[in-house]
Amino acid sequence: AQSVAQPEDQVNVAEGNPLTVKCTYSVSGNPYLFWYVQYPNRGLQFLLKYITGDNLVKGSYGFEAEFNKSQTSFHLKKPSALVSDSALYFCAVRDGTGANNLFFGTGTRLTVIP
Amino acid sequence: DAGVIQSPRHEVTEMGQEVTLRCKPISGHDYLFWYRQTMMRGLELLIYFNNNVPIDDSGMPEDRFSAKMPNASFSTLKIQPSEPRDSAVYFCASSLPGARGRIYEQYFGPGTRLTVT
């Protein structure tokens, strides 16, 4: 069965500091991994995805994520946080069996402190 | 493209009333998904369609919930009768079909905030 865990409900970081939002996954077969961001009263916006290839994936707004197969992790990172990055972040996984549905984590609320 | 369009954005209704939520996917997207988001349960997949055909409705909570996709550009999620515990934000999302092994992301609409009193 597919699942995603986001171990931190809340992450606080000072503006200008690097940020990391953690995600671990469990799937049958090859994992397809996604990060989404949700701003207040908005729908989820796609940030980046890992399908295959380089373990470091670059996405929108300066975000990147590192796929680690041995640790079954897909942590979201950004070298320098902005106050405007404050939002709810979701990790999601789709397995390689052909089904197109995503399994979402419970979300991590990122607060960037000025 | 205007993105995924949902209506209404907000709906307040009384318990027992019928509620219909509407979604227009992005043109050319063959997959359509309905999700529900609450503080307690997070983001839940209710049902998804491929080429207007329901593929997996195992997330639909009860028979009070039904979804249709009569054509490629329109889908509805209906709750009849509604109950206070149905209060949530309902999202529609769509994605490309992923031919030739390509994996595409889902694009979400702005959501419908449903309040059942």
Side-chain angles (χ1 to χ4, degrees):
Chain A
Q2 306 88 342
S3 67
V4 169
Q6 293 182 244
E8 301 158 317
D9 291 335
Q10 174 82 39
V11 170
N12 297 327
V13 63
E15 184 177 23
N17 282 2
L19 69 87
T20 298
V21 183
K22 296 179 181 178
C23 172
T24 58
Y25 67 89
S26 175
V27 294
S28 303
N30 295 324
Y32 303 126
L33 296 155
F34 302 78
W35 275 102
Y36 285 80
V37 60
Q38 185 179 27
Y39 297 101
N41 300 314
R42 302 283 296 274
L44 278 69
Q45 295 179 31
F46 169 74
L47 279 179
L48 51 80
K49 65 184 176 185
Y50 171 82
I51 305 302
T52 186
D54 290 341
N55 290 340
L56 187 63
V57 179
K58 295 187 182 297
S60 306
Y61 312 121
F63 283 92
E64 57 190 27
E66 186 171 9
F67 172 68
N68 187 316
K69 187 173 182 178
S70 63
Q71 298 184 6
T72 61
S73 66
F74 190 56
H75 301 332
L76 181 70
K77 300 181 179 183
K78 187 173 183 180
S80 179
L82 301 173
V83 173
S84 57
D85 293 330
S86 298
L88 190 57
Y89 290 82
F90 290 94
C91 181
V93 64
R94 173 189 155 177
D95 68 18
T97 62
N100 199 21
N101 50 315
L102 294 178
F103 292 84
F104 284 86
T106 52
T108 298
R109 185 164 300 281
L110 172 69
T111 300
V112 181
I113 303 165
Chain B
D1 199 314
V4 175
I5 299 172
Q6 291 187 247
S7 64
R9 292 294 309 276
H10 302 273
E11 177 78 38
V12 180
T13 190
E14 292 183 348
M15 182 175 61
Q17 297 298 306
E18 177 179 296
V19 174
T20 300
L21 311 182
R22 297 172 176 81
C23 175
K24 176 179 169 56
I26 294 172
S27 178
H29 283 194
D30 287 2
Y31 282 90
L32 184 140
F33 306 81
W34 281 101
Y35 292 89
R36 178 172 67 176
Q37 185 179 36
T38 61
M39 290 293 293
M40 292 297 293
R41 301 173 69 91
L43 195 63
E44 304 172 276
L45 175 67
L46 300 177
I47 185 173
Y48 78 94
F49 296 83
N50 181 22
N51 289 320
N52 313 337
V53 176
I55 302 301
D56 185 352
D57 65 354
S58 59
M60 296 286 263
E62 301 171 32
D63 292 344
R64 299 184 296 106
F65 286 70
S66 62
K68 295 182 179 179
M69 193 166 185
N71 57 63
S73 60
F74 183 66
S75 177
T76 59
L77 178 68
K78 185 177 293 186
I79 308 173
Q80 167 63 21
S82 58
E83 296 183 3
R85 60 192 167 124
D86 301 331
S87 297
V89 181
Y90 291 81
F91 289 105
C92 177
S94 69
S95 73
L96 286 166
R100 301 194 198 99
R102 298 190 68 176
I103 306 299
Y104 291 100
E105 58 274 15
Q106 295 178 17
Y107 291 86
F108 282 72
T112 295
R113 183 173 296 276
L114 173 65
T115 302
V116 184
T117 60

